[in-house]
Amino acid sequence: MYRAPVEDITFTLKHVAGLKPALDAGTFGDLGEDLVDAILAEAGRFASEEVAPLYKIGDEQGAVLSGADVTTPPGWKELYRRWIDGGWNALSAPEEFGGQALPTMLGVAALEMWNSAAMAFGIGPTLTMGAVEALDKHASPALKAKYLEKLVSGEWMGTMNLTEPQAGSDLNALRARAEPAGDGTYRIFGQKIFITYGEHDFTDNIIHLVLARLPDAPAGTRGLSLFLVPKFLVGDDGALGARNDVFCFGLEHKLGIHASPTCTMIYGDGFEGTAPGAIGWLIGEENKGLACMFTMMNNARLAVGMQGVAVAETATQKALAYANDRRQGNAASYNGNGMALIVHHPDVQRNLLTMKALTQIARAISYSCAHAIDHARVSVGDEAIHWQERANLLTPLAKAFSTDVGVEVASLGLQVHGGMGYIEETGAAALYRDARIAPIYEGTNGIQAIDLVARKLPLGGGEHVHGYIAELKAVANQARTSNLQGFGRTADGLDQALDDLSQATRFLQRLLADGRSDAALAGATPYLRLISLAAGGTYLARGALADQSRIAVCRFFAENLLGEAGALKERVIGGADSLAAAGKTLISA
Amino acid sequence: MYRAPVEDITFTLKHVAGLKPALDAGTFGDLGEDLVDAILAEAGRFASEEVAPLYKIGDEQGAVLSGADVTTPPGWKELYRRWIDGGWNALSAPEEFGGQALPTMLGVAALEMWNSAAMAFGIGPTLTMGAVEALDKHASPALKAKYLEKLVSGEWMGTMNLTEPQAGSDLNALRARAEPAGDGTYRIFGQKIFITYGEHDFTDNIIHLVLARLPDAPAGTRGLSLFLVPKFLVGDDGALGARNDVFCFGLEHKLGIHASPTCTMIYGDGFEGTAPGAIGWLIGEENKGLACMFTMMNNARLAVGMQGVAVAETATQKALAYANDRRQGNAASYNGNGMALIVHHPDVQRNLLTMKALTQIARAISYSCAHAIDHARVSVGDEAIHWQERANLLTPLAKAFSTDVGVEVASLGLQVHGGMGYIEETGAAALYRDARIAPIYEGTNGIQAIDLVARKLPLGGGEHVHGYIAELKAVANQARTSNLQGFGRTADGLDQALDDLSQATRFLQRLLADGRSDAALAGATPYLRLISLAAGGTYLARGALADQSRIAVCRFFAENLLGEAGALKERVIGGADSLAAAGKTLISA
């Protein structure tokens, strides 16, 4: 059973991602370490004691559709109620609408814990928070007044309606349409698929944010507008009124996160006697819906990255506990009686240490991304631009690398359990199932890599990323000059990986400058992993410099896993031609 | 839906793994290419048209336990009947008992196809064939006469009973016991778990091969004896008699291969009024059971490797078909109207080419292992020793590398499908679930790596592996001197990887000679992947030299994936110390 690693999380926030210096500098006003510690401890308690025990029933029973109603698994509705009663939904939300306006760093740390305890639970509020942010930034005062307070408290939940059958990664192809009703409202028609928590019994209203096209809107994404469509209309007094014409027509039968209802939503079909056309309100300007939606999406990308971290953490805990309980065979390092605990076998240790190191790296990258988001919000001028660029740079790493790590670590965790890992009762297989969605949704990891190379490497005239690498090199140098023997060849490994990163970065920037985007994109995925490993290894070193008990895992990573960076650099620099040549042979028509 | 890649399989057998020269040299008597081609074509037809259509119902409904009876999914019993009527069970079995005695190379090629079509189907006959081989090699003439013919025809199936709750990887801890009855038979008592096809409705008798301890047997594996325990006793006339005291008490609820019943078997509990004690017959000598069982296990390890190849093949086909059907976005290489087929996107091509290359490599390694087994059987003297060593060397590669590839490729295949991949109806998720058992059973991949380093590197006084590497280097040299331009830097990549392999091999051999086995075992898993990538890349080159249409994928592999070899060598040579240092921190007590 998951036990929230509050100490590890707090340490990483403060001493790796930079929360401690920020608190000391008063960056977040009078927020102090005591309150941070107390919040994280209580979040850890809630996640371990309240959420985690309901994981299994959620996985086994899943969400169930009956008519157009969705019932969540036994106990989940009450869990959600206790969770919002604890104020957790409001943690990072704006104070104006009842939120606690705490830093995103705390928000993602708590989010990690909800997702570690039950990823199918953690994903729901993630979407509400995205809706809150989009409304707060783009909606009219009237819409904010009517909806934000209840979304912040969690009394209502929000959803994000983008995908249609023909339009997943490519939003240009969206077809859902919106017709002006003449009274300032719109009527929405169309089908949306893969809508997470599109329908459920947690709350008595659900606020859908929907991308649709107005009549005569331009083609492509520049013709998309964003609408707010409540499940039940809301009176000026806040009371619920008529049922709106948006209904759930199907639940997907998914590999994992069974308790999270993944809905097909039909807008405007006049179902159950409702007036045809779902009534919606425009958010922001006409044809500027994508920009509004991106507010949600960036937020959601980091949040999905936390799911990768979260599942990796749970899988590591589970495997470590099993390896300290299961006995098989002899091991040179074991002197006790009978069979050795399998944690003594070098091959098992290799799996466990790989899991630990990758989890810590993904966490450090994700928290560092949150740190940048927080600083962008509280800064002004060039500093705000700097931190926003940093957040933009790190978001695809946080999303893609962390979720790849989630899958990799969950798979290793299953392996550590041997045959028991393949049996569903053990619970390791469920993590392997849950983890697999995160590299796909909120922009596939391939798209994150393209975003990183095509849109993030050019930031700051192409210099932002080099500034980041320079910061990392300074940390590597600290490790070298620390004279701490336990580091072994860590500094050599980091220097090499960061040099590889510099070279690969400049190579891709040259390709982009030369207009050879296909060659650059061919190397995007290896590049994303390269920068993540190099940055992550450096974060491990930063943690180890602050706490010497962390040196051993840092060194293991540097001497066992970081060597991949060299191969990745070679792929980035030398892989595109053969990919293009062989790629042609895949096209059947 | 799976379409057996008969051409690809036949090509790999003949021109990569060495079947063509063997046929030309008359190694397998009068077996000629025409018959080989006809058999593979018909196996392909059966797999594609008869087995594959029953995959989905097998996955969805699974095997069901009622009382002590197991019912396989609708249509599966009839499928099995058609399959044995086609003579497929007897393909590689000894002629003396009705088999066709065809080379193992053909056997594993067919096995790949059954497993591609439905892994839960392919695994059953695999165990029967292991039982046939163990009985043929070790059983008394009387036992052979009574059981072998029906096991060869498939009228009865065989099982392999090793694992007990406290004894999985470590057979020293087995407790099941056997008491001599005084009449030449024994009474078997104990519990066995994870018994594949331990109970089912395919056949009216099931022949269990069971490891148990005689009274006063030595501790450990040197006190294990192998027994034959039929579900129903068999009269001297071959007629079925009384029910034996071996019953299925439970089916595991597994992540995948749902149609394959994974049974808990209880021996000797006097269930259903049977006389307590399951009646068994000794196979081979007392306390030599493990040696007999190893006959089954080596066979089974290659067979499980084929499951990795098989799932990888199916996942690749599925993803390739989807990528040639799904349209999203624009691509530089696409000039048509509307959205581009996603197969045009470089990132999708990278995934697909990785899948293709890894699948081809795993297949080439596995078929080469079968080639060695075949040659060991038909050779004498030093040549037989040489080929047996080669088979022994390649078996852990075939098992572990191929099954790791199965998981990796199934995961990439799911990713290519985007959100649809996570929906069970699509079928990509089921492959990801099925594939995950293969790195675990028949000796975890960690144990395969240990076997490779500790027992296979010392073969032939440590020189066998270097002879193998020298053969690979000769092929790399052929690629270099071929002057075929499409190879790009393939020869450079192969030379580098093979040099890395040589160095890592000698390093591990020195560690073993110095008695530093823990340090050697720390590098076992990276070493197994290193030798597999280096050998696999060379096999791709051999195929490309024989058929230039294969050059592009070979070059993609050499320039994009083979670079990992350098990092793996560094891990083997430089990773053990940090692993040992950090490994200590994992031990909780």
Side-chain angles (χ1 to χ4, degrees):
Chain A
M1 180 86 83
Y2 171 69
R3 295 272 310 164
V6 175
E7 197 179 311
D8 211 22
I9 286 173
T10 309
F11 176 88
T12 306
L13 281 174
K14 289 184 185 171
H15 303 292
V16 178
L19 180 60
K20 180 78 162 68
L23 294 176
D24 292 349
T27 306
F28 305 118
D30 56 3
L31 178 65
E33 279 197 68
D34 286 355
L35 183 57
V36 166
D37 293 348
I39 289 169
L40 292 173
E42 177 56 17
R45 189 203 65 74
F46 194 95
S48 308
E49 295 178 15
E50 308 257 352
V51 184
L54 286 168
Y55 175 81
K56 208 174 186 84
I57 200 169
D59 181 55
E60 288 173 359
Q61 303 211 5
V64 177
L65 180 69
S66 165
D69 296 329
V70 171
T71 307
T72 54
W76 277 57
K77 182 178 172 174
E78 296 74 17
L79 170 67
Y80 178 78
R81 173 58 53 180
R82 292 197 297 281
W83 186 81
I84 62 169
D85 287 349
W88 295 114
N89 196 62
L91 206 62
S92 306
E95 275 183 308
E96 185 184 351
F97 302 100
Q100 297 167 57
L102 286 163
T104 301
M105 294 184 86
L106 282 180
V108 299
L111 189 59
E112 179 194 319
M113 297 191 250
W114 318 137
N115 279 296
S116 273
M119 189 169 142
F121 182 78
I123 187 66
T126 294
L127 293 159
T128 305
M129 291 321 300
V132 166
E133 201 167 341
L135 289 173
D136 188 43
K137 288 229 174 96
H138 303 288
S140 67
L143 282 182
K144 288 189 195 185
K146 191 173 272 188
Y147 292 98
L148 264 177
E149 201 173 314
K150 288 184 174 167
L151 284 167
V152 165
S153 71
E155 187 173 333
W156 297 342
M157 284 175 75
T159 73
M160 189 163 162
N161 289 237
L162 287 76
T163 304
E164 299 176 11
Q166 78 291 351
S169 298
D170 184 358
L171 296 177
N172 284 287
L174 288 179
R175 289 182 196 149
R177 59 198 174 81
E179 296 177 358
D183 60 356
T185 68
Y186 298 80
R187 296 297 174 273
I188 315 293
F189 301 89
Q191 179 186 5
K192 296 287 181 178
I193 62 168
F194 297 166
I195 307 308
T196 299
Y197 277 90
E199 180 58 69
H200 57 78
D201 55 6
F202 280 1
T203 56
D204 58 6
N205 205 3
I206 301 171
I207 312 305
H208 303 290
L209 267 56
V210 188
L211 280 182
R213 285 181 195 284
L214 287 164
D216 307 319
T221 55
R222 285 179 301 177
L224 298 174
S225 303
L226 184 63
F227 297 90
L228 181 154
V229 181
K231 176 178 170 185
F232 287 98
L233 302 184
V234 179
D236 290 336
D237 58 352
L240 297 188
R243 183 73 166 84
N244 205 352
D245 188 14
V246 48
F247 290 92
C248 173
F249 269 66
L251 283 192
E252 302 293 353
H253 176 215
K254 305 190 300 295
L255 176 63
I257 54 167
H258 293 153
S260 164
T262 302
C263 304
T264 298
M265 304 299 294
I266 306 280
Y267 290 80
D269 230 32
F271 190 60
E272 286 191 1
T274 55
I279 302 173
W281 284 263
L282 184 68
I283 300 171
E285 294 177 46
E286 292 188 352
N287 300 332
K288 302 281 186 192
L290 197 65
C292 303
M293 205 53 140
F294 264 120
T295 303
M296 284 182 83
M297 280 169 64
N298 271 324
N299 185 311
R301 285 175 174 186
L302 173 56
V304 169
M306 294 322 302
Q307 298 191 314
V309 178
V311 174
E313 170 65 35
T314 306
T316 303
Q317 286 190 18
K318 202 171 188 62
L320 195 53
Y322 186 79
N324 272 290
D325 182 57
R326 172 74 172 173
R327 293 176 182 276
Q328 287 291 276
N330 303 310
S333 73
Y334 177 70
N335 304 315
N337 291 324
M339 292 190 285
L341 292 166
I342 63 170
V343 71
H344 286 274
H345 295 300
D347 193 73
V348 174
Q349 292 181 347
R350 184 187 46 74
N351 280 335
L352 292 169
L353 290 168
T354 302
M355 296 168 74
K356 269 192 109 147
L358 291 176
T359 304
Q360 287 183 13
I361 283 177
R363 179 181 288 132
I365 288 172
S366 302
Y367 290 1
S368 298
C369 180
H371 174 264
I373 291 169
D374 284 328
H375 281 71
R377 199 183 51 235
V378 299
S379 307
V380 291
D382 285 351
E383 210 181 339
I385 292 171
H386 167 81
W387 286 115
Q388 189 57 53
E389 288 177 349
R390 179 61 50 86
N392 291 347
L393 175 67
L394 294 184
T395 295
L397 277 61
K399 196 282 178 179
F401 179 72
S402 298
T403 57
D404 282 345
V405 160
V407 173
E408 195 173 338
V409 170
S411 185
L412 287 171
L414 193 156
Q415 185 74 17
V416 168
H417 286 79
M420 291 304 296
Y422 202 64
I423 308 301
E424 287 286 3
E425 282 77 2
T426 308
L431 297 172
Y432 174 77
R433 289 189 283 100
D434 286 353
R436 196 62 193 77
I437 185 57
I440 295 173
Y441 59 17
E442 294 308 322
T444 66
N445 285 2
I447 287 185
Q448 303 298 326
I450 290 169
D451 174 60
L452 172 65
V453 168
R455 285 191 285 269
K456 305 306 168 60
L457 293 190
L459 289 173
E463 282 312 307
H464 184 87
V465 61
H466 293 290
Y468 178 60
I469 296 171
E471 291 172 31
L472 298 172
K473 284 184 176 173
V475 176
N477 198 46
Q478 284 173 37
R480 180 177 297 287
T481 56
S482 71
N483 287 322
L484 293 168
Q485 283 219 329
F487 270 124
R489 300 187 307 280
T490 296
D492 293 345
L494 290 176
D495 284 349
Q496 181 65 54
L498 291 166
D499 279 347
D500 288 340
L501 175 59
S502 294
Q503 286 178 47
T505 305
R506 295 205 187 277
F507 177 83
L508 290 176
Q509 289 176 322
R510 274 197 303 276
L511 284 184
L512 291 171
D514 295 348
R516 296 183 54 203
S517 72
D518 247 31
L521 298 188
T525 289
Y527 179 77
L528 189 146
R529 190 164 174 94
L530 167 57
I531 188 172
S532 302
L533 290 176
T538 309
Y539 289 132
L540 285 183
R542 184 182 281 167
L545 287 164
D547 172 3
Q548 294 186 31
S549 79
R550 293 173 170 262
I551 291 178
V553 170
C554 172
R555 179 185 166 206
F556 167 81
F557 178 79
E559 296 185 6
N560 276 275
L561 302 178
L562 192 51
E564 190 188 338
L568 291 166
K569 180 196 77 173
E570 294 302 328
R571 284 187 79 171
V572 170
I573 291 178
D577 288 350
S578 63
L579 194 158
K584 290 194 192 103
T585 68
L586 300 168
I587 299 164
S588 61
Chain B
M1 179 86 82
Y2 172 69
R3 294 272 312 164
V6 175
E7 196 177 313
D8 211 21
I9 286 173
T10 308
F11 176 87
T12 307
L13 281 174
K14 289 183 185 172
H15 302 291
V16 178
L19 179 60
K20 179 78 161 67
L23 293 176
D24 291 348
T27 306
F28 305 118
D30 55 4
L31 178 65
E33 281 196 68
D34 286 355
L35 184 54
V36 165
D37 293 347
I39 289 169
L40 293 172
E42 177 57 16
R45 190 204 64 75
F46 194 96
S48 309
E49 296 177 14
E50 308 257 350
V51 184
L54 286 168
Y55 175 82
K56 206 173 188 85
I57 200 168
D59 181 56
E60 287 174 359
Q61 304 211 4
V64 176
L65 180 69
S66 165
D69 295 329
V70 171
T71 307
T72 54
W76 278 57
K77 182 177 171 174
E78 295 74 17
L79 169 66
Y80 178 78
R81 173 56 56 181
R82 291 197 298 280
W83 185 81
I84 61 169
D85 286 349
W88 295 114
N89 196 63
L91 205 62
S92 306
E95 276 182 310
E96 186 185 351
F97 301 99
Q100 295 168 58
L102 287 162
T104 300
M105 295 184 85
L106 282 181
V108 298
L111 189 58
E112 178 194 319
M113 297 191 249
W114 318 137
N115 278 296
S116 274
M119 189 170 141
F121 183 78
I123 188 65
T126 295
L127 293 158
T128 304
M129 290 322 300
V132 165
E133 201 169 340
L135 289 172
D136 188 42
K137 288 230 173 96
H138 303 288
S140 66
L143 283 182
K144 289 189 195 184
K146 191 174 272 187
Y147 292 99
L148 265 177
E149 200 174 315
K150 287 183 176 168
L151 284 168
V152 165
S153 71
E155 186 173 334
W156 297 343
M157 283 176 76
T159 75
M160 189 163 163
N161 289 238
L162 287 76
T163 304
E164 299 174 12
Q166 77 292 348
S169 298
D170 185 357
L171 296 176
N172 284 286
L174 288 179
R175 289 183 195 146
R177 59 198 173 81
E179 296 177 358
D183 60 355
T185 70
Y186 299 80
R187 296 295 174 275
I188 314 293
F189 302 88
Q191 180 187 3
K192 296 286 182 180
I193 63 169
F194 298 165
I195 307 307
T196 299
Y197 278 88
E199 180 58 68
H200 57 78
D201 56 6
F202 279 2
T203 56
D204 58 5
N205 205 4
I206 301 172
I207 312 305
H208 304 290
L209 267 56
V210 188
L211 280 183
R213 284 181 196 286
L214 288 164
D216 307 319
T221 54
R222 285 178 303 176
L224 297 174
S225 303
L226 185 62
F227 298 90
L228 181 155
V229 181
K231 176 178 170 185
F232 287 98
L233 302 184
V234 180
D236 289 337
D237 58 353
L240 297 188
R243 182 72 166 84
N244 205 351
D245 187 15
V246 47
F247 290 92
C248 173
F249 269 67
L251 283 192
E252 302 294 352
H253 176 212
K254 305 191 300 297
L255 175 63
I257 54 166
H258 293 153
S260 164
T262 302
C263 305
T264 299
M265 304 298 295
I266 305 280
Y267 290 81
D269 230 31
F271 189 61
E272 285 191 0
T274 56
I279 302 172
W281 284 262
L282 184 68
I283 300 170
E285 294 177 47
E286 292 188 353
N287 300 331
K288 302 280 187 195
L290 197 65
C292 302
M293 206 52 140
F294 265 121
T295 303
M296 283 182 83
M297 280 168 63
N298 271 324
N299 185 309
R301 285 175 175 187
L302 173 56
V304 169
M306 294 322 302
Q307 298 191 315
V309 177
V311 175
E313 170 65 35
T314 307
T316 303
Q317 286 189 18
K318 202 172 188 59
L320 195 54
Y322 186 80
N324 272 290
D325 182 57
R326 172 75 172 172
R327 293 176 182 274
Q328 288 290 277
N330 303 311
S333 73
Y334 176 71
N335 303 316
N337 291 324
M339 294 190 285
L341 291 166
I342 64 170
V343 71
H344 285 275
H345 296 300
D347 194 73
V348 174
Q349 292 182 348
R350 184 189 45 75
N351 281 334
L352 292 169
L353 290 169
T354 302
M355 297 169 74
K356 269 194 109 149
L358 291 176
T359 304
Q360 287 183 12
I361 283 177
R363 179 180 289 132
I365 289 172
S366 302
Y367 289 2
S368 297
C369 181
H371 174 264
I373 292 170
D374 284 329
H375 281 72
R377 198 183 54 237
V378 300
S379 308
V380 292
D382 286 350
E383 210 182 340
I385 292 171
H386 166 82
W387 285 115
Q388 189 58 53
E389 288 178 348
R390 178 61 51 85
N392 292 347
L393 175 69
L394 295 183
T395 295
L397 277 60
K399 197 280 178 181
F401 179 73
S402 298
T403 57
D404 281 345
V405 161
V407 172
E408 195 173 336
V409 170
S411 184
L412 287 171
L414 195 156
Q415 185 74 19
V416 169
H417 286 79
M420 291 305 297
Y422 202 63
I423 308 302
E424 287 285 5
E425 281 77 2
T426 308
L431 297 172
Y432 174 77
R433 291 189 281 99
D434 286 353
R436 197 62 194 77
I437 185 57
I440 295 173
Y441 59 17
E442 294 308 322
T444 66
N445 285 2
I447 287 185
Q448 302 299 327
I450 290 170
D451 174 60
L452 172 65
V453 168
R455 285 192 284 271
K456 306 304 169 62
L457 293 190
L459 289 173
E463 283 311 308
H464 184 87
V465 63
H466 294 290
Y468 178 59
I469 296 171
E471 292 173 29
L472 298 173
K473 285 184 175 172
V475 176
N477 198 46
Q478 284 173 37
R480 180 177 298 286
T481 55
S482 70
N483 286 324
L484 294 168
Q485 283 219 329
F487 269 124
R489 302 185 307 279
T490 296
D492 293 345
L494 289 176
D495 283 349
Q496 182 64 53
L498 291 165
D499 278 348
D500 289 339
L501 174 60
S502 294
Q503 287 178 46
T505 304
R506 295 205 186 279
F507 177 83
L508 290 176
Q509 288 176 323
R510 275 196 303 276
L511 284 183
L512 292 171
D514 294 349
R516 297 183 54 203
S517 73
D518 247 32
L521 298 188
T525 289
Y527 179 77
L528 189 146
R529 190 164 174 95
L530 167 57
I531 188 172
S532 301
L533 290 176
T538 310
Y539 289 133
L540 286 183
R542 183 183 281 165
L545 287 164
D547 172 5
Q548 294 187 32
S549 80
R550 292 174 169 261
I551 290 179
V553 170
C554 172
R555 178 186 166 204
F556 168 81
F557 178 80
E559 296 185 6
N560 275 276
L561 302 178
L562 193 51
E564 190 188 338
L568 292 165
K569 179 197 77 172
E570 295 303 328
R571 285 187 78 172
V572 170
I573 290 178
D577 289 351
S578 63
L579 193 159
K584 290 194 191 104
T585 68
L586 300 169
I587 300 164
S588 61

